[in-house]
């Protein structure tokens, strides 16, 4: 049955078959592979930057905490100057 169907389809549909009208599946698969590789590369770069940014933000918070704890508040400065003036 299979051989008969294949023979029939080859004989009758071969004249309607045009390889130029077929979608370029091989080109699509190649482009897909390229895009997936580019996506993976961009994700690796993204996660690298994300980690670096997290480290920089942690350092920035630490510096702000240190500066905030070392700088006198306005009330402390006033109290110190009043203490000196008396």
């Amino acid at each position: 049955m299979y051989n008969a169907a294949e023979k029939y389809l080859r004989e009758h549909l071969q004249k309607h078959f045009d390889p130029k009208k077929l979608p370029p599946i091989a080109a699509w698969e190649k482009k897909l592979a390229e895009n997936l590789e580019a996506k993976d590369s961009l994700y690796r770069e993204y996660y690298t930057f994300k980690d670096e940014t997290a480290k920089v933000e942690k350092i920035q918070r630490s510096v702000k905490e240190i500066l905030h704890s070392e700088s006198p508040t306005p009330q402390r400065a006033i109290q110190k100057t009043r203490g000196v003036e008396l």
Side-chain angles (χ1 to χ4, degrees), residues 9-18:
L9 291 174
R10 281 186 193 268
E11 289 173 358
H12 290 87
L13 295 180
Q14 189 66 30
K15 60 185 171 188
H16 300 291
F17 177 73
D18 186 9

Side-chain angles (χ1 to χ4, degrees), residues 67-79:
L67 292 176
H68 181 68
S69 67
E70 289 181 357
S71 66
T73 59
Q75 291 176 349
R76 287 184 185 172
I78 292 171
Q79 288 174 354

Side-chain angles (χ1 to χ4, degrees), residues 4-78:
E6 184 180 12
K7 181 180 178 186
Y8 173 80
L9 291 174
R10 281 186 193 268
E11 289 173 358
H12 290 87
L13 295 180
Q14 189 66 30
K15 60 185 171 188
H16 300 291
F17 177 73
D18 186 9
K20 294 178 184 175
K21 292 183 181 179
L22 291 177
I25 294 173
W28 290 350
E29 289 174 346
K30 181 180 177 185
K31 185 68 174 173
L32 175 65
E34 291 172 1
N35 288 342
L36 288 174
E37 185 177 324
K39 180 193 79 145
D40 292 340
S41 173
L42 289 173
Y43 267 114
R44 283 190 298 273
E45 190 174 338
Y46 164 75
Y47 285 117
T48 301
F49 287 138
K50 185 177 176 183
D51 293 339
E52 288 178 12
T53 303
K55 290 176 186 177
V56 169
E57 288 174 346
K58 184 177 180 181
I59 293 169
Q60 185 180 17
R61 282 191 303 271
S62 298
V63 168
K64 283 183 179 181
E65 288 175 7
I66 291 170
L67 292 176
H68 181 68
S69 67
E70 289 181 357
S71 66
T73 59
Q75 291 176 349
R76 287 184 185 172
I78 292 171

